[in-house]
Amino acid sequence: MRLWVLLGVLLLLQGALPHVIGQPAKSKRPKEPGENKIRPVNKKVKPKNAKMKERESVDSSLKSQAILTQVTDKGHFQKLAASLSLAAGQSIELRCKGSNVTWSYPSYLDTFKDSRLSIKQLDRHSQLSLANSTAADTGEYSCWLQLCNGNKCRKDETKTGSTYIFFTDKEELFVPTPSYFEIVYLNPDKPAVIPCRVTTPSAKVTLHREFPAEEIETDGTDIFYDAKKGFVFQHPSSDHKGIVYCKAESQGAPQISIKYHLLYVEVPKGPPSTTIAVSSARAGLGDGVRVVCTVLGEPDVDVSFRWQYPGQESGRPVIIQNFWRLINRGIGHTTRISKSVLLVEDFEDTDVGNYVCIAQNLQGETTVATKVELK
């Protein structure tokens, strides 16, 4: 009996040994790439077209910023920031990419046909060069591409570039102007700007009233200073009228700007407020007849006149004169009075009839008429 038990134990040990000290266990098959990795659930994958659109948007923005560059002394190109400071006397060359480019720059360079400025349009870019710069050249320089269809062209708003250049001059802290006195109109429904711009952006600028002599406080909200514009009045009122000037300081003696006369305006906006009057409603042969068309409006709004009168189609000669002037109405209120005068020197039968005046401004036009008969 014991022998049988012993044989059974030996057989059991023989079957178990290969798993412990016998032949090595069979090697596992190699894992496939990515096998047994934890895969996230609900993973959001951005579609490829979204990335493409995002890249296109960024590229478009960069192209718009890079359209205007500065040519440095070494012949390299430098992207321009929103503003740039250069010492007066330096020359500058700007390039704008494109085969049909339009430039904008301080208007006085055109007014005086300054030979220091030159613009050349080449095959792939336009070049603006300014030699021997002065403090008066301070201002915004911009360019844009023109999209043309035949003779009609329009500005490509996606291809523009601009920079504001300060040409610093310690002897000219304020940008020089051709006049020594300027009128600034204060409209109650729009901001007003006193254009005492500086050539040095770090200059400290204050605003002063001539009478009574005092400094005008600026709160940074209703009244604030912008080196690229001047003092800005967000909500002008009749209290601001009078004669003012600006004072600038920058590492030296303070400098004074020209004087500005602030005139308060209170005229309703709209088509011209027009009246017509005639020297005599009945005229005899050989008499002189004078017809006057009058418009009251905002001081800085131009008015144009057109006339219709008897004998116009047959070429009857008449004399027409246009003029305007500023008048004060009430306390500090200023209005522009514009007139057109039609004169018939030697009244004839063909001059009998209706005299029609058409006055026009940006808001529209007004028609008035009067009649002249024969005595």
Side-chain angles (χ1 to χ4, degrees):
M1 187 69 177
R2 290 179 181 179
L3 180 60
W4 289 106
V5 172
L6 181 59
L7 289 172
V9 171
L10 289 173
L11 289 171
L12 289 172
L13 291 173
Q14 189 175 5
L17 284 175
H19 298 284
V20 180
I21 59 173
Q23 296 179 356
K26 293 182 180 179
S27 62
K28 297 181 181 179
R29 66 177 176 81
K31 293 182 179 179
E32 295 294 333
E35 188 176 346
N36 291 342
K37 289 184 179 179
I38 299 174
R39 298 180 183 275
V41 181
N42 298 329
K43 181 178 179 181
K44 295 182 179 179
V45 180
K46 292 182 179 179
K48 291 183 179 180
N49 60 350
K51 290 183 179 179
M52 292 293 289
K53 288 181 180 179
E54 185 178 349
R55 287 179 183 174
E56 288 175 4
S57 175
V58 173
D59 290 345
S60 175
S61 176
L62 290 174
K63 286 180 181 178
S64 177
Q65 294 173 3
I67 188 175
L68 180 63
T69 55
Q70 177 189 1
V71 182
T72 61
D73 294 337
K74 297 180 180 179
H76 298 142
F77 299 97
Q78 174 179 304
K79 292 182 181 179
L80 288 169
S83 62
L84 173 68
S85 291
L86 297 174
Q90 287 186 254
S91 297
I92 187 171
E93 180 181 333
L94 304 178
R95 287 194 178 183
C96 193
K97 293 182 181 178
S99 58
N100 189 6
V101 172
T102 299
W103 289 90
S104 176
Y105 41 84
S107 59
Y108 90 96
L109 287 170
D110 268 343
T111 304
F112 297 102
K113 297 181 180 179
D114 204 314
S115 61
R116 297 177 302 117
L117 177 74
S118 66
I119 295 176
K120 296 179 182 179
Q121 177 66 62
L122 305 177
D123 290 339
R124 296 184 178 180
H125 71 271
S126 180
Q127 172 184 302
L128 181 148
S129 300
L130 180 63
N132 301 321
S133 63
T134 68
D137 300 323
T138 296
E140 184 175 16
Y141 292 75
S142 62
C143 66
W144 60 88
L145 267 62
Q146 289 276 62
L147 296 176
C148 296
N149 183 8
N151 294 328
K152 294 183 179 180
C153 295
R154 62 181 178 85
K155 181 178 180 180
D156 185 349
E157 298 292 346
T158 65
K159 300 292 179 63
T160 64
S162 67
T163 187
Y164 192 97
I165 304 179
F166 294 93
F167 290 100
T168 61
D169 186 345
K170 62 180 181 180
E171 302 298 327
E172 295 277 5
L173 288 183
F174 289 106
V175 178
T177 59
S179 62
Y180 294 94
F181 190 86
E182 286 188 20
I183 293 176
V184 176
Y185 299 109
L186 305 176
N187 293 275
D189 55 352
K190 64 180 180 181
V193 177
I194 300 173
C196 54
R197 297 178 295 127
V198 289
T199 61
T200 304
S202 59
K204 179 184 177 183
V205 187
T206 52
L207 182 62
H208 300 260
R209 190 182 303 280
E210 187 175 55
F211 183 81
E214 61 182 3
E215 180 179 338
I216 299 175
E217 294 184 5
T218 57
D219 56 11
T221 304
D222 284 340
I223 304 177
F224 61 89
Y225 186 73
D226 184 334
K228 298 178 182 180
K229 296 179 180 179
F231 280 99
V232 180
F233 286 69
Q234 288 288 75
H235 306 287
S237 70
S238 59
D239 294 336
H240 297 137
K241 68 182 185 297
I243 297 177
V244 301
Y245 61 90
C246 305
K247 180 187 292 186
E249 296 180 55
S250 178
Q251 302 177 353
Q255 296 181 23
I256 303 298
S257 72
I258 66 171
K259 294 179 181 180
Y260 300 91
H261 192 177
L262 310 187
L263 299 177
Y264 186 70
V265 179
E266 196 170 41
V267 178
K269 283 192 172 183
S273 175
T274 312
T275 58
I276 192 169
V278 63
S279 57
S280 176
R282 297 177 65 85
L285 296 176
D287 289 349
V289 175
R290 188 168 181 262
V291 187
V292 181
C293 190
T294 304
V295 170
L296 295 178
E298 296 180 80
D300 53 349
V301 175
D302 291 329
V303 177
S304 62
F305 295 94
R306 303 194 312 272
W307 284 94
Q308 296 173 2
Y309 53 89
Q312 187 173 20
E313 293 183 0
S314 62
R316 172 77 166 114
V318 297
I319 299 173
I320 297 176
Q321 295 178 326
N322 299 328
F323 58 92
W324 65 270
R325 63 187 176 89
L326 297 178
I327 59 172
N328 290 323
R329 304 180 69 196
I331 303 174
H333 294 183
T334 304
T335 301
R336 173 171 171 160
I337 180 170
S338 303
K339 289 189 177 185
S340 181
V341 179
L342 183 149
L343 180 62
V344 179
E345 291 186 311
D346 188 8
F347 197 79
E348 299 178 357
D349 290 337
T350 55
D351 298 319
V352 174
N354 293 320
Y355 288 75
V356 179
C357 172
I358 304 167
Q360 183 175 14
N361 63 14
L362 294 176
Q363 303 293 326
E365 64 180 33
T366 303
T367 301
V368 290
T370 187
K371 188 175 183 179
V372 180
E373 298 178 344
L374 187 63
K375 281 184 179 178

